[in-house]
Amino acid sequence: MAKIKIPDLGGADGAQVIEVLVAVGEDVIEDQALVTLEGDKATMEVPATAAGKITSICLAVGDTVKSGDDCLELASEPQQVSKSATQEITVPDLGGANGAQVIEVLVAVGDAVQEDQALITLEGDKATMEVPSPYAGVLVSVMPKVGDKVAEGDLLATITTELTEASAEVVPSIAKLEVVEAKPVIAAVLQAPSNKMVYASPSVRRYAAYYGVDLTRVQGSAENGRILKTDVSNAIIALVAQAQSGTVQKPSSQPKLALEKLGSHEVIELTKIKQFSGKFLTGSWQNIPHVTQQDSADITELEAYRYSLKADGVKISPLIFMMKAVAKVLKGHPNFNSSLSDDGSKLYLKQEINIGVAVDTPKGLVVPVIKNVTEKSLIELMTEVVTIAEKARTKGLSPNEMQGGGFTISSLGGIGGGHFTPIINAPEVAILGISKLTTTPVWRDESWLPRKSLPLSLSYDHRVIDGAEGARFITDLVLCLQDPKQACFIVKN
Ligand code: CAO
């Protein structure tokens, strides 16, 4: 068992814990950042001095700590016999590309490399990326040559790394910390080339450097504009979206904004999410031939069932029933759960039913994806939507939480308004807009009855879905919502 202590704070009396980056039970690797501290002048990370499992954490965000205080306890991995190990370095996630070409090999066998040092430059269809070494060590082999084609997971190189023996009680020194980053580790506030002050911890800097993100362009969401890993993730997603819509030209008919003619006005900087989602939505709107099919479902019985659950103390939002109904109807209409190939010649039908839910946040619109909707109960879905919407609004979402969707639902039902035209969340091919239900008089059995009517707006990609198919989908959805018992999606809750 190793006890990790707060290292030498470089003369400062104390520092505040601003981030705890790990949890009890988590496996960590040597040198992984565990905690971020903020002193008077700088931010620093406390790294793991050995690989192992976290067994206890002795501090919390907001605590003030000083050099030598207990930080956390680590059950170290069994002692290694050899002091060095050979690790394989493989091609990382290529962001969805099938493969990439090696255009530069920057190292040779026998080279001593630093962690994060670029090894190879790859070129894909849309971007060039450098593959950095995840370890410091000496290269034993370097596989590819310039011109070779590689895919995610292919072996690029092998490297021998030094292993550190776990010690019983470890107080990392500043010198040790300086090795961890291979660049300055205690020095969070740096002057960036654009003259904008960047306020981020070393691990966030490494993360940004790995993905080639310029931190001067990232808006920090933490106190004093400090950039978190989630801010970088959001920027990456936005950059991908921007790249996807990058071919889009501004319509020539759009008149140039003449500021001098605006009269008195206030200038508000749009959040990064808003700026990038604006470009992404423009791309979707201009590249996809949208058709919006509107209808309304009589959900009087469904609402009665929802209220009966509520009376039993189970609160389920109408959105959850929509997700279940959509999932059921998607099974019978697989084209709505697909993506079109770039050249428009193939349709990729998705096996799982993963539904994106548009969430309105103070920084703009984000779409977390709820996976395997058919496998989850109403309560499980409700809990997941509430949790992820809260996370989207407070901490932000990881790229993983926004990937893998096959169909999106945009619900404005909690706000108001009638039918609208939702924009397809490319590369998906359809999206359902839900509006606020109204009580409408319906002529039935020789009398007018008050019925609860839910406006539905289905936008679909006309290259993939014909009008008849669109009408069948929304008709099946309406039938499903009108007869929830027969639709059987309310059985498992
Ligand atoms: N008709 C009438 N009332 C509805 C309704 C509907 N279609 N849908 C939800 N409601 C009610 C809920 O029952 C809840 O009422 P109670 O508090 O009395 O139970 C209330 O409206 C608030 O619902 P909500 O919006 O908080 O929750 P939700 O599950 O319906 O939606 C979420 C969750 C995350 C989708 C929503 O909060 C949100 O962000 N919506 C905006 C999405 C958006 O911006 N879309 C536009 C994209 S294009 O710019």
Side-chain angles (χ1 to χ4, degrees):
M1 187 80 68
K3 208 172 240 182
I4 310 263
K5 299 219 168 226
I6 300 297
D8 181 351
L9 295 173
D13 288 344
Q16 196 176 25
V17 179
I18 56 169
E19 252 174 312
V20 178
L21 304 159
V22 289
V24 170
E26 199 173 315
D27 288 320
V28 295
I29 55 169
E30 187 186 351
D31 285 346
Q32 182 176 333
L34 305 171
V35 168
T36 310
L37 303 177
E38 188 174 60
D40 287 346
K41 295 183 189 134
T43 303
M44 67 181 286
E45 284 173 350
V46 181
T49 47
K53 193 183 278 300
I54 307 282
T55 54
S56 69
I57 297 177
C58 319
L59 40 69
V61 171
D63 285 355
T64 300
V65 292
K66 55 186 192 319
S67 187
D69 280 356
D70 286 348
C71 179
L72 51 76
E73 283 186 341
L74 195 67
S76 299
E77 282 176 353
Q79 207 72 39
Q80 305 287 326
V81 179
S82 162
K83 290 194 85 183
S84 67
T86 303
Q87 306 280 359
E88 292 188 339
I89 301 173
T90 54
V91 176
D93 183 354
L94 294 174
N98 284 336
Q101 192 169 29
V102 177
I103 57 167
E104 232 178 332
V105 178
L106 305 159
V107 288
V109 171
D111 281 0
V113 295
Q114 297 291 327
E115 186 186 337
D116 284 343
Q117 182 176 332
L119 303 175
I120 276 167
T121 311
L122 300 177
E123 189 172 59
D125 288 347
K126 295 183 186 142
T128 303
M129 71 183 279
E130 283 180 346
V131 180
S133 174
Y135 317 101
V138 176
L139 290 166
V140 181
S141 66
V142 178
M143 307 300 179
K145 303 180 297 298
V146 170
D148 283 356
K149 289 252 165 55
V150 292
E152 185 181 330
D154 283 357
L155 185 62
L156 285 182
T158 50
I159 186 169
T160 51
T161 58
E162 289 292 307
L163 290 177
T164 315
E165 285 179 53
S167 60
E169 188 163 279
V170 191
V171 181
S173 65
I174 291 294
K176 171 67 184 161
L177 288 173
E178 279 166 358
V179 175
V180 177
E181 206 197 14
K183 291 149 215 149
V185 114
I186 305 174
V189 184
L190 291 180
Q191 195 73 16
S194 73
N195 287 338
K196 181 186 161 194
M197 296 288 272
V198 169
Y199 186 26
S201 66
S203 65
V204 171
R205 286 168 187 280
R206 276 199 298 275
Y207 183 64
Y210 182 85
Y211 286 100
V213 174
D214 176 0
L215 282 178
T216 62
R217 293 170 189 276
V218 177
Q219 179 119 27
S221 63
E223 208 178 336
N224 299 327
R226 188 164 54 82
I227 300 170
L228 303 177
K229 216 168 176 181
T230 47
D231 298 324
V232 180
S233 306
N234 286 337
I236 294 166
I237 290 167
L239 283 167
V240 170
Q242 192 187 27
Q244 280 172 347
S245 62
T247 51
V248 176
Q249 300 286 321
K250 211 175 192 185
S252 53
S253 56
Q254 186 170 325
K256 212 169 170 317
L257 180 63
L259 285 179
E260 67 283 0
K261 293 186 185 157
L262 279 185
S264 60
H265 57 266
E266 187 189 353
V267 181
I268 294 170
E269 188 76 20
L270 288 186
T271 63
K272 288 279 179 265
I273 292 183
K274 272 221 155 128
Q275 290 179 40
F276 288 126
S277 66
K279 286 182 180 144
F280 178 74
L281 291 167
T282 307
S284 276
W285 184 247
Q286 293 186 333
N287 291 320
I288 300 176
H290 281 64
V291 176
T292 303
Q293 170 77 64
Q294 299 174 341
D295 207 340
S296 295
D298 181 337
I299 58 164
T300 312
E301 272 78 35
L302 182 57
E303 276 294 276
Y305 176 69
R306 196 172 74 83
Y307 273 88
S308 73
L309 291 179
K310 203 172 176 181
D312 292 340
V314 182
K315 194 176 163 190
I316 309 281
S317 153
L319 170 69
I320 306 305
F321 291 96
M322 304 305 136
M323 291 171 72
K324 276 292 196 190
V326 163
K328 187 176 164 57
V329 176
L330 281 175
K331 278 193 169 171
H333 298 271
N335 285 3
F336 284 76
N337 186 25
S338 73
S339 286
L340 185 65
S341 65
D342 288 340
D343 65 0
S345 67
K346 290 182 206 70
L347 200 57
Y348 300 102
L349 301 181
K350 294 163 194 177
Q351 307 288 308
E352 289 165 351
I353 297 196
N354 300 335
I355 297 181
V357 175
V359 176
D360 178 34
T361 79
K363 290 188 176 169
L365 178 70
V366 292
V367 186
V369 174
I370 310 294
K371 310 262 164 63
N372 293 312
V373 171
T374 37
E375 309 302 318
K376 293 175 181 163
S377 69
L378 294 170
I379 292 172
E380 284 167 340
L381 287 172
M382 188 73 224
T383 309
E384 197 171 333
V385 168
V386 167
T387 310
I388 201 93
E390 171 67 13
K391 187 167 177 226
R393 286 172 180 142
T394 51
K395 298 186 194 150
L397 301 172
S398 69
N400 194 35
E401 287 166 320
M402 289 189 266
Q403 283 167 4
F407 184 99
T408 294
I409 297 181
S410 173
S411 174
L412 296 174
I415 303 167
H419 289 104
F420 63 106
T421 307
I423 297 181
I424 295 166
N425 185 17
E428 294 168 17
V429 298
I431 180 168
L432 180 72
I434 298 169
S435 306
K436 193 176 178 72
L437 67 83
T438 54
T439 302
T440 317
V442 172
W443 184 251
R444 190 184 283 184
D445 299 331
E446 301 300 313
S447 59
W448 289 101
L449 296 174
R451 305 290 296 177
K452 290 185 173 161
S453 174
L454 182 75
L456 302 171
S457 309
L458 174 76
S459 291
Y460 56 83
D461 183 338
H462 208 344
R463 295 170 301 174
V464 177
I465 294 155
D466 293 333
E469 223 179 331
R472 278 187 211 110
F473 182 96
I474 204 159
T475 303
D476 284 353
L477 183 62
V478 166
L479 288 173
C480 186
L481 292 168
Q482 283 178 186
D483 194 356
K485 289 208 179 85
Q486 204 183 29
C488 78
F489 63 80
I490 60 171
V491 172
K492 192 184 166 204
N493 56 50

